[in-house]
Amino acid sequence: MITLHEVSKTYTVSKELTVPAVRNVTLDVARGEFVVITGRSGSGKTTLLSLVAGLTRPTSGRVLLDNVDVWRLPDAEQSLLRNRKVGFVFQFPSLLPTLNSLDNVMLPTLFADNADPAQAKQRATHLLEQMGLSDKLHAYPRQLSGGQQQRVVIARALMNEPQLLLADEPTSDLDETTEHEIMGLFREIHQQTGVTVLLVTHSAELGSYGTRSIQMAGGEIVAS
Amino acid sequence: MKLIRLAISNLAGSSFRSWLVFFCSALMAGFVVSGTLVIRGADSSLRLALERLGADIIVVPKGNSQRLETALLMGIPAHMWMPDTVVDDIRAVSGVEAASPQIYLSTLRGAVCCSVPEMFLIAYDPDTDFTLKPWLEKNLEGGLALAEAVGGSLVFVPVQDGALLVYGTSLELKGTLEATGTGLDQSMFFTFDTAFKIAEESSDLAVKVLDIPPRTVSSVLVRVGMDQDPHQVALAIAEKLPNVTPMETSSLFQGQREQILSLLNSVVALLGITWLLGMGLTTVIFALAVNQRRRQIGVMRALGARRTVVLQSLLMEAGLLAIAGGIQGIAIAALAIYLFRPLIVRLMGVPFLFPGFLPLAGLGLGALALVLVGVLLAAAIPIVRVSLQDPAISMRE
Ligand SMILES: Nc1ncnc2c1ncn2[C@@H]1O[C@H](COP(=O)(O)OP(=O)(O)O)[C@@H](O)[C@H]1O
Ligand SMILES: [Mg+2]
C-alpha cells in the first residue's frame, strides 16, 4: 500500500537555517495494517504523514502509493488520488466553520467531478449516524464539542471510501475518556472496512490500538 | 454542493471583509459611471447642438456673438438685426457654398406653452435653408407649411389649450427634434412666412405687437465649399463686411469646451485615486483573508481539491463581491447623476444630456466588466501565492 524509500525532507527556513524533519526513512505498510506512529513533538511525525499523502515534496527518496510514485503525477491526478484513496483526520480543527456537519462531510465530493449529490447526501447522513451524530446533521462546528467535531472529521475522511486513512494526533485536544472513545472508533472502522490506517499520536500507551507500532525520534524511525 | 455555494458561505462567514471589498467595488464602478456620464453628457450635448446648427459659419451683427452663444446654449432669446443685403454679399464671398438667413424672435414673457419664461424662436428661409432640411426631408414630407412648427425636445403643446399660441397666433407642432441638452431643446423653428403672419396678426390678437423690422435678418448660416477652410472664409467675410461678426462653429462654445476639458482632468485624477485605493485595499484584504484561511486552504487540498479549484473558489469570492458591489455602485451613480442633472449644469457651467437606455446599459456593462477585471487582478496577487504553496506548509501554524 505505502512504500517509502530512503525519504528525507529538509525544510529551508532561511539560507543559513535548514531543518531536517525526516531523515532517510524507509518504510513499507501493507494493505489492511493499522500502524500507530509515536514520538515526541518535533520528531517528524506530521511531516512523515504529509510525505505519504503527497502534501509536501520529499527532498530526496521516493514515495509510492499502490506502486505509483506520487510526485511523478501532475497536480490534477495527484489531487484526484488523494480525493479517491486517502482520508484525512487532522490535529487541528479542520471543519469549515461556515458549513454544517452534512456539508462538511460532503466537502470531498465537491472536488470529485463525478459525484452524485443525492447519493452523497445519503452517504454523509449515514456516516454521521454511524458516528452517533444523527441529531447534529445541521449543526455548525461551533455548536459541537471537540469530540463531536472530530467525529464529523472522521466521517468526512470516510466519505469517499478511502483505502488509506491518515490521522495526525486525532485525540490531542480531547479529554482522556473521549480520547479512548475516538481511538476505539478507529479500531472499529479498521476492523469493519479493512482500511489501511496510519495514526500519529504523542502518547505511547495508545500504541496498543494498532496492529503495528512505530516510534520516531529526530526524523528517523528508531523502533518498529 | 457547488463551488459557488462554498464561496458564498465563505463570504457570509467574514462579513466585514466582504463589505469592504463590496464597498470598494461599488466605489470604483460608481466613479467610472458618474465620471463618464458627466463628461460624455456634456460633450455629446455640445456636439449635437453643433450638428443641429449644421453650418460652418454663423454670421451675426457685430458685437452679438456672445449673445448668440448664450441663446443657443441656454435658450435665452437674443434679438439682433442686420439688413438682408448681407445675405447676397456673403454669397459673393469666394469659398461660400450656401448662405441662408434666419430671424430670431421670442415668445411673450410667461406664455403658457413653455417651460421657460421666454421661448427662443427661430424663423428660417425655406428656399435657401440647409440646416433643418435634412431632418425635414426625413421626417416631414414637403417641409413646414404656414403656421406649422417643429420644436426642441422640451417644447410641448399645453393640454388645456390644445394649441401652441405665439402672440395669439396658433401654431401646429408638426414634430419634435432629438434632445441636445442645450437651449435648442427649448426653441421652436418655423418659416419666414409664419413669422410674418405672426407679426401681422399680433396687432389684433396679442397684448403686445411683434415687431419684425422690414428687410432685416438676425443671422446668416454659411456652408463653405468642400475643400475650403472655414477659417479663411470667415476672415474673408469679416474683411468684406465690416459690420458683421462671422462665428466659426468649430470654435463655438470654447468656454464650455475648456470647462469640459478641465472637468475631464479632474475626473481622470479622481478615477485614478479611487481605483488605486480600491485595488490596493482589495489586495490587502484578500492577503489578510487568505492568510487567515491558510489552514482551510491546506485542508481543501488534502481532501483532493486541485490547485486550480482552490484558485477558482477564491477568485469566485472576489468576483461575486465585484459584481454585487459593481451593480450597486453603477445603479446609485446613474440615479444620482440623473436626479442631480440641473445641479450639474449649474455647478459645472456646461450643458448636459443624459443618455438613452441603450448607451446607459452599455456603459453599465462596461463599468461592471472593468470592475470585475480590476478586483480579480487585485485579489489574484495573494490568491495565486497561496495556491502555489505546499499544502503541508499552509496547514502549519
Ligand atoms: N514548514 C516548516 N518549516 C520549517 N520547519 C518545519 C516545518 N514543518 C516542520 N518543521 C520542523 O520540522 C520538525 C518536525 O516537525 P513535525 O513533522 O511537525 O513534527 P511532529 O509532528 O512530530 O511534532 C520540527 O523541528 C519542526 O519545527
Ligand atoms: Mg505533528
Side-chain angles (χ1 to χ4, degrees):
Chain A
M1 177 87 233
I2 307 168
T3 307
L4 300 185
H5 184 69
E6 294 178 358
V7 173
S8 296
K9 175 73 191 184
T10 304
Y11 291 108
T12 311
V13 179
S14 66
K15 266 208 176 107
E16 297 82 35
L17 183 62
T18 57
V19 182
V22 167
R23 293 194 236 208
N24 213 29
V25 167
T26 296
L27 175 70
D28 260 299
V29 177
R31 192 174 287 273
E33 280 195 272
F34 187 153
V35 182
V36 177
I37 304 171
T38 55
R40 295 175 55 169
S41 178
S43 57
K45 308 180 297 293
T46 298
T47 305
L48 190 75
L49 281 196
S50 299
L51 285 165
V52 168
L55 293 178
T56 195
R57 186 186 281 275
T59 314
S60 64
R62 293 207 302 159
V63 179
L64 305 181
L65 275 186
D66 273 342
N67 293 318
V68 177
D69 188 336
V70 180
W71 286 100
R72 287 270 172 85
L73 300 175
D75 178 65
E77 280 177 48
Q78 208 194 59
S79 304
L80 197 65
L81 184 110
R82 268 199 294 273
N83 188 254
R84 293 259 172 84
K85 290 196 172 173
V86 186
F88 273 96
V89 179
F90 303 88
Q91 185 176 1
F92 52 85
S94 65
L95 295 174
L96 267 54
T98 55
L99 299 181
N100 64 24
S101 305
L102 258 183
D103 284 333
N104 260 300
V105 173
M106 287 193 288
L107 195 60
T109 61
L110 181 61
F111 311 128
D113 301 325
N114 53 359
D116 169 12
Q119 219 176 323
K121 187 164 182 179
Q122 201 180 348
R123 175 158 173 80
T125 309
H126 177 68
L127 281 169
L128 283 167
E129 280 166 358
Q130 265 191 320
M131 298 294 140
L133 294 171
S134 40
D135 56 336
K136 303 287 182 192
L137 298 184
H138 300 285
Y140 286 85
R142 63 173 185 283
Q143 299 166 324
L144 301 174
S145 72
Q148 289 171 328
Q149 285 187 32
Q150 212 58 324
R151 284 167 190 270
V152 178
V153 173
I154 293 168
R156 182 179 68 186
L158 298 174
M159 184 64 199
N160 283 350
E161 299 180 70
Q163 295 165 21
L164 176 62
L165 191 55
L166 300 177
D168 191 359
E169 304 197 29
T171 58
S172 61
D173 285 342
L174 306 177
D175 61 75
E176 215 169 308
T177 322
T178 319
E179 177 167 61
H180 283 283
E181 267 175 41
I182 296 285
M183 287 307 290
L185 196 56
F186 274 104
R187 186 159 57 194
E188 211 173 292
I189 292 165
H190 174 250
Q191 282 167 355
Q192 283 175 3
T193 64
V195 64
T196 311
V197 182
L198 220 59
L199 187 146
V200 166
T201 171
H202 58 279
S203 80
E205 66 177 276
L206 295 177
S208 59
Y209 278 93
T211 59
R212 175 178 165 196
S213 173
I214 289 176
Q215 203 182 334
M216 282 189 82
E220 293 176 300
I221 295 179
V222 292
S224 63
Chain B
M1 194 169 61
K2 288 279 183 306
L3 212 53
I4 189 154
R5 237 194 82 200
L6 182 65
I8 290 172
S9 91
N10 277 332
L11 290 177
S14 45
S15 50
F16 181 65
R17 162 179 80 96
S18 302
W19 275 114
L20 270 180
V21 175
F22 177 92
F23 182 73
C24 283
S25 308
L27 219 63
M28 284 156 75
F31 269 105
V32 168
V33 166
S34 52
T36 311
L37 277 179
V38 169
I39 296 295
R40 297 265 325 197
D43 190 59
S44 64
S45 174
L46 286 188
R47 198 168 35 75
L48 280 172
L50 289 179
E51 257 171 40
R52 173 74 46 82
L53 290 174
D56 298 312
I57 301 169
I58 302 176
V59 182
V60 293
K62 208 174 185 73
N64 282 291
S65 53
Q66 196 57 54
R67 286 175 57 215
L68 182 64
E69 268 196 40
T70 316
L72 296 175
L73 216 51
M74 301 301 173
I76 296 162
H79 302 278
M80 51 191 83
W81 305 105
M82 55 189 175
D84 63 0
T85 51
V86 293
V87 183
D88 284 327
D89 291 342
I90 289 169
R91 278 196 190 112
V93 173
S94 99
V96 172
E97 190 187 71
S100 178
Q102 292 191 334
I103 295 175
Y104 298 145
L105 307 166
S106 59
T107 56
L108 283 168
R109 193 167 278 279
V112 283
C113 63
C114 330
S115 54
V116 283
E118 283 179 291
M119 201 202 309
F120 190 38
L121 304 172
I122 300 172
Y124 65 95
D125 173 18
D127 296 333
T128 59
D129 167 68
F130 57 87
T131 64
L132 215 56
K133 204 169 156 196
W135 187 90
L136 288 173
E137 272 173 355
K138 215 165 69 191
N139 297 284
L140 267 183
E141 223 175 316
L144 288 177
L146 195 63
E148 290 178 349
V150 291
S153 61
L154 297 179
V155 176
F156 58 94
V157 180
V159 185
Q160 65 266 53
D161 297 14
L164 210 50
L165 285 181
V166 178
Y167 282 87
T169 299
S170 119
L171 299 183
E172 194 184 344
L173 194 62
K174 297 292 279 189
T176 299
L177 298 163
E178 197 195 337
T180 66
T182 65
L184 287 172
D185 293 347
Q186 300 162 356
S187 47
M188 202 157 66
F189 294 82
F190 42 71
T191 61
F192 272 5
D193 289 342
T194 305
F196 295 138
K197 176 179 153 75
I198 295 169
E200 202 182 294
E201 291 176 355
S202 67
S203 53
D204 293 334
L205 300 175
V207 286
K208 197 171 149 233
V209 178
L210 173 63
D211 211 15
I212 304 178
R215 310 191 56 76
T216 59
V217 296
S218 300
S219 74
V220 180
L221 303 191
V222 174
R223 193 171 65 201
V224 304
M226 277 292 269
D227 36 39
Q228 296 290 329
D229 177 8
H231 185 61
Q232 292 304 323
V233 177
L235 285 180
I237 292 172
E239 197 178 339
K240 186 174 170 195
L241 300 162
N243 290 324
V244 303
T245 305
M247 304 164 66
E248 289 167 59
T249 45
S250 62
S251 54
L252 218 54
F253 310 139
Q254 209 56 47
Q256 281 68 31
R257 280 166 209 252
E258 276 161 26
Q259 185 72 9
I260 292 175
L261 212 61
S262 81
L263 210 62
L264 181 66
N265 286 335
S266 320
V267 165
V268 167
L270 208 63
L271 266 181
I273 294 171
T274 324
W275 274 65
L276 218 65
L277 281 179
M279 287 180 67
L281 201 58
T282 302
T283 302
V284 170
I285 292 166
F286 266 88
L288 289 175
V290 155
N291 192 48
Q292 199 189 4
R293 280 185 7 215
R294 257 174 41 220
R295 265 197 172 160
Q296 179 185 327
I297 291 161
V299 168
M300 280 169 61
R301 296 276 284 134
L303 297 182
R306 272 169 279 141
R307 194 166 277 153
T308 49
V309 168
V310 170
L311 204 69
Q312 255 180 50
S313 88
L314 290 172
L315 285 177
M316 206 179 264
E317 292 180 26
L320 285 171
L321 291 176
I323 289 174
I327 289 174
Q328 184 92 351
I330 289 163
I332 289 177
L335 191 69
I337 296 287
Y338 181 77
L339 290 179
F340 294 112
R341 271 171 316 177
L343 199 68
I344 292 168
V345 173
R346 211 167 334 127
L347 285 181
M348 314 271 182
V350 291
F352 179 74
L353 187 64
F354 198 78
F357 177 73
L358 273 182
L360 189 64
L363 173 62
L365 283 180
L368 198 60
L370 221 56
V371 167
L372 187 61
V373 170
V375 167
L376 284 181
L377 278 180
I381 301 165
I383 288 176
V384 167
R385 252 189 41 204
V386 77
S387 73
L388 287 176
Q389 215 173 37
D390 245 3
I393 298 191
S394 312
M395 280 189 284
R396 268 177 63 90
E397 273 289 88

